Amino acid sequence: MAQYLEPAVSSSPEISLRQAHELALAASQPRYWLHGLLLIATCFTTLVVGAQLQLNFLHNQPAFSLDESLFPLVSMMRHPAQLVLGIPFAATLMLILLAHELGHYITARRYGVQASLPYFIPAPTLIGTLGAFIRIRSRIPSRHALFDIGVAGPIAGFVVALPALVWGTLLSCWEPNLARASELQLGYPQLFRLLAPLAQHSAVRAPFPVADIYFHPVAIAAWVGMFATALNLLPGGQLDGGHLIYALWPRAHKWISRALVVALLGMSPFLWPGWLLWAGVLLSFGGRHPYVPPAEGLGRMRGALAVLALLIFLLSFTPVPFPGTALDPGQVKHGAVRLLRFFR
């Protein structure tokens, strides 16, 4: 994700020049130690998760156990040599995230835009990370540049995630009992359904549900990478999709962002409570996009890239990423009735 920090410049020319100089100075002195520390920490947390996933896969155990493997740091520290088993998962996921952020970073620098190196976010969760982002610290010169910077990340990440998914699916197997025994079920986007026949299955010849596949950790890493890509392509705020919308239709950006927040709020009780968090993210960072100077028509090439970004979103997005976590419709209705009575 490319977070665009609009430079705060005063109306006074003297102060404006000083602020611009301070901004350029800060941007030219990256904190390599911080980027490196976060990178190492995220590699470690994803290794821990990946090692547990690989052990479960090798021993025919369900992929996720919320009691034992929410973040199996203690068990991994007892047998540190097992961390090597986490390399396939960790390397796949880190490469997808790195490709995404470098897509933003390299394109930004090509336009002379000051951007930070990627900040990785380690987290003791079921996937070991909360993703990564870069910060854009100087003005983007045109909407051409904004579009190119915004679209480069998702495309670069998807280019790495797609072959990883193919490879991971080839390593996966048709095991309905194991797949459905996991305490955390994953909701699969359309691309997983299209590639499901690649999974190993000797006894089954007819098409089978993607939920019956026991996915290899590499495929799970590809799932995480594609889920992150789809979230970033949501068309609102300062997400990658929001940048693309502003570059294409700047006047519509505010209204599309507001409509997205309403949609996410409506989806959260019935599909996945996490959509409530993403609605909050969009509200926190604001629906107003920092001003970017207009440019003449984006041209056919950028139009084709916009279609490609939409296709990536449709193939990667799932409205129910974690089945079984939604609220019961009866509880939602009962809560709404009680809320209405409270305000009467």
Side-chain angles (χ1 to χ4, degrees), residues 169-296:
T169 305
L170 288 170
L171 296 174
S172 304
C173 52
W174 182 77
E175 292 285 352
N177 294 332
L178 277 176
R180 297 182 183 273
S182 179
E183 295 184 29
L184 177 69
Q185 294 293 317
L186 302 180
Y188 298 102
Q190 188 61 35
L191 188 57
F192 274 72
R193 304 178 191 281
L194 294 175
L195 296 178
L198 296 178
Q200 300 175 20
H201 56 288
S202 57
V204 179
R205 300 300 178 188
F208 48 86
V210 67
D212 288 344
I213 300 176
Y214 185 42
F215 279 104
H216 188 273
V218 169
I220 295 177
W223 182 94
V224 176
M226 290 187 175
F227 182 50
T229 297
L231 290 177
N232 275 299
L233 281 173
L234 288 172
Q238 292 196 50
L239 299 173
D240 295 340
H243 294 321
L244 299 184
I245 290 295
Y246 187 88
L248 292 167
W249 305 292
R251 294 183 179 180
H253 178 272
K254 178 176 66 175
W255 301 107
I256 293 176
S257 296
R258 291 177 178 178
L260 177 61
V261 169
V262 172
L264 294 177
L265 290 174
M267 292 163 59
S268 61
F270 304 104
L271 301 179
W272 178 47
W275 294 128
L276 180 63
L277 172 63
W278 279 91
V281 169
L282 287 170
L283 289 173
S284 299
F285 288 101
R288 186 184 69 84
H289 194 285
Y291 175 76
V292 178
E296 295 183 3

Side-chain angles (χ1 to χ4, degrees), residues 38-86:
L38 291 174
L39 175 62
I40 293 172
T42 308
C43 286
F44 176 74
T45 53
T46 53
L47 272 175
V48 170
V49 171
Q52 185 64 58
L53 287 173
Q54 189 69 34
L55 281 171
N56 291 343
F57 188 84
L58 293 175
H59 293 91
N60 293 321
Q61 297 295 321
F64 295 104
S65 173
L66 299 182
D67 293 332
E68 299 178 1
S69 60
L70 180 61
F71 186 70
L73 178 61
V74 175
S75 60
M76 287 300 110
M77 291 299 96
R78 291 174 181 169
H79 308 282
Q82 292 181 344
L83 285 174
V84 177
L85 296 174

